[in-house]
Amino acid sequence: MTSNVDKEELEMFRESVIKALEAEVRPHYEAWEKSGIVPRELWNTLGNAGMLCVDVPEDCGGCGAPFQYSVVVGEELARLGFGALSTNVMVHSDIVAPYLSHIGNEEQKQQWLPKMVSGEAVGAIAMTEPGAGSDLQAIRTSAVKDGDDYILNGSKTFITNGQHADMVIVAAKTDPSAGARGISLFLVDTSLPGYSKGRNLDKIGQHSGDTSELFFSDMRIPASALLGEEGQGFMYLMRELPRERLVIGALGVAAARGALDLTVAYAQERELFGQKLAQLQNTRFEIARMETDYRVNRAFVDQCIDQYDRGELDAPTASMAKYSATEMQCRVADGCLQLFGGYGYTTEYPISRAFIDARVQRIYGGTSEVMKEIIARSVLGKA
Ligand SMILES: Cc1cc2nc3c(=O)[nH]c(=O)nc-3n(C[C@H](O)[C@H](O)[C@H](O)COP(=O)(O)OP(=O)(O)OC[C@H]3O[C@@H](n4cnc5c(N)ncnc54)[C@H](O)[C@@H]3O)c2cc1C
């Protein structure tokens, strides 16, 4: 990361993040993975340590740091092997908070952002429904105007932070006949009647990740909860998704770094056929292949981070960052696990978690196939 950000200061911040995560997260992470969720108080701990929404402006309770600082928090969570938590924090800090900062009015910002910075409020965003994932325009959750309120009905699934969320940005149809122009976004206060959460979904990886079903049943929300303008929701989503995709890519490269570091250390320790695993030509070629794969993606993601910071990152380039970095992450996690042999397949070795936590990165935030479609459209035009 370069440009207008002082690299030395950024690295000092990174060191302080690592120190805090080693103290506050490392000792408990195994237990959280087993129980399938992090404790609610962890959000307050992370907030107190200055690790949430770090680029939120000072007048909204943040420290107004450059975007790069926010990325560092997610990257270190991912690199240190806390994949589920990196997803939870990314959604809160790098997806939900920017919607408020960029689109929210002053009252909405003051209502939620200071609490999100401190961890007093947890944020989530609910687009996906059982019948609408990649095809976002097919959502059926409805928000019908009733006097000064809207009445919300419908359900969402796969919602990160769904169990702990105090505020959920909900995408709903305000005009079902208007297609994409009929979608609006609402800042839904989860303490209001009519809101309920379903199961914390049982996933194959990212076990302590909070991923839930949500239900809205004749939920009355005030018109002041409308984010931006009615009917502009789809346009806002398209505008904000590049940041989400870029940050997922950044988590991918950081997680790959973590997996490589574990593997290099193991290869230098493990002995077989009277020599170190690291001396076998296959190991050397595999490490060379994966290190190169990592470096190429690191450089591209860093370039995109700087572009985003300058307001110059376009949607196809952000899609390239997500697509390339997450596919690389999965290639690297697989190659690394292979070098651990049977031990890599046991939960005792952290490389197994790096492998299993990586898989969803190619799915959420827009699948690799959707990324390719966006990229192809930018090159070839619509089919
Ligand atoms: C752990 C986790 C956390 C998540 N967190 C959130 C969250 O916080 N908020 C939220 O709203 N959602 C969240 N999601 C949902 C996620 O974004 C969706 O799962 C994803 O967008 C894919 O939608 P889908 O699952 O309905 O798959 P589908 O859309 O049904 O896709 C099925 C298959 O079709 C392919 N496909 C789709 N479109 C095309 C196309 N045009 N061309 C070719 N192939 C295509 C897909 O790539 C996929 O292989 C999360 C999901 C998971 C697993």
Side-chain angles (χ1 to χ4, degrees):
M1 283 174 235
T2 49
S3 70
N4 48 356
V5 171
D6 184 316
K7 232 182 155 186
E8 240 175 72
E9 279 181 21
L10 188 65
E11 289 315 305
M12 275 165 61
F13 177 69
R14 188 186 297 278
E15 288 308 317
S16 71
V17 169
I18 294 170
K19 216 168 142 193
L21 295 179
E22 290 292 356
E24 303 291 352
V25 174
R26 176 81 69 202
H28 313 290
Y29 199 69
E30 283 301 325
W32 298 339
E33 282 280 286
K34 284 206 171 74
S35 61
I37 194 152
V38 298
R40 172 62 183 82
E41 312 81 67
L42 177 65
W43 289 97
N44 304 80
T45 307
L46 294 175
N48 289 337
M51 285 197 278
L52 299 178
C53 311
V54 293
D55 62 342
V56 159
E58 281 168 289
D59 59 5
C60 293
C63 57
F67 168 62
Q68 282 85 341
Y69 281 72
S70 195
V71 177
V72 158
V73 176
E75 282 186 354
E76 288 311 315
L77 282 162
R79 189 183 65 81
L80 294 171
F82 311 133
L85 190 54
S86 74
T87 301
N88 293 356
V89 170
M90 168 199 60
V91 166
H92 175 91
S93 297
D94 287 304
I95 303 178
V96 176
Y99 275 89
L100 276 157
S101 299
H102 298 157
I103 309 160
N105 59 35
E106 205 43 41
E107 198 186 322
Q108 291 169 333
K109 288 182 195 178
Q110 293 304 334
Q111 183 183 3
W112 293 112
L113 284 175
K115 289 185 187 167
M116 287 181 66
V117 171
S118 69
E120 202 184 319
V122 176
I125 180 159
M127 300 172 265
T128 308
E129 299 182 0
S134 307
D135 184 9
L136 210 54
Q137 293 190 37
I139 60 166
R140 295 177 64 176
T141 295
S142 64
V144 177
K145 197 89 197 270
D146 183 45
D148 282 344
D149 300 327
Y150 284 92
I151 310 290
L152 201 58
N153 275 293
S155 66
K156 297 286 179 179
T157 191
F158 293 126
I159 306 309
T160 299
N161 298 338
Q163 294 294 312
H164 287 323
D166 300 285
M167 188 275 285
V168 185
I169 298 178
V170 176
K173 285 260 167 87
T174 37
D175 182 356
S177 64
R181 286 174 189 275
I183 294 176
S184 304
L185 301 183
F186 295 90
L187 302 168
V188 171
D189 181 338
T190 63
S191 65
L192 296 176
Y195 174 87
S196 60
K197 54 197 175 196
R199 292 177 300 144
N200 185 12
L201 299 174
D202 195 7
K203 306 183 295 298
I204 61 167
Q206 299 211 354
H207 295 298
S208 56
D210 167 356
T211 318
S212 305
E213 295 170 321
L214 303 179
F215 304 99
F216 316 99
S217 175
D218 288 330
M219 184 179 189
R220 187 171 281 277
I221 51 172
S224 60
L226 178 68
L227 182 65
E229 290 175 34
E230 195 177 291
Q232 295 298 305
F234 195 76
M235 194 267 288
Y236 297 142
L237 292 170
M238 294 306 112
R239 218 166 67 187
E240 295 298 323
L241 277 167
R243 172 165 169 153
E244 171 172 352
R245 291 172 177 158
L246 169 59
V247 175
I248 293 173
L251 300 188
V253 281
R257 179 72 266 151
L260 271 162
D261 290 346
L262 291 173
T263 309
V264 167
Y266 183 76
Q268 284 167 339
E269 285 292 316
R270 175 76 173 162
E271 293 197 3
L272 66 174
F273 302 110
Q275 57 187 332
K276 300 283 189 201
L277 174 61
Q279 289 172 285
L280 298 176
Q281 191 186 48
N282 175 66
T283 309
R284 305 178 72 76
F285 281 10
E286 277 297 275
I287 294 290
R289 174 184 69 79
M290 294 190 288
E291 185 69 31
T292 307
D293 213 359
Y294 159 77
R295 290 267 191 105
V296 168
N297 278 278
R298 178 77 265 178
F300 180 55
V301 166
D302 281 349
Q303 180 188 315
C304 291
I305 289 171
D306 284 344
Q307 281 179 337
Y308 180 84
D309 191 40
R310 293 196 301 268
E312 292 169 6
L313 183 70
D314 62 34
T317 312
S319 297
M320 289 177 202
K322 180 185 188 280
Y323 166 53
S324 179
T326 60
E327 294 282 336
M328 177 279 296
Q329 177 189 1
C330 287
R331 278 194 301 276
V332 165
D334 186 54
C336 286
L337 187 146
Q338 189 69 14
L339 288 174
F340 275 77
Y343 299 97
Y345 200 65
T346 66
T347 54
E348 205 178 310
Y349 282 73
I351 197 66
S352 60
R353 179 169 298 144
F355 174 78
I356 208 69
D357 282 358
R359 190 60 183 83
V360 73
Q361 287 259 102
R362 291 159 56 197
I363 296 172
Y364 57 25
T367 62
S368 285
E369 291 69 34
V370 170
M371 295 305 97
K372 284 190 269 190
E373 186 50 42
I374 293 169
I375 299 159
R377 219 178 294 152
S378 76
V379 180
L380 298 166
K382 272 193 173 173

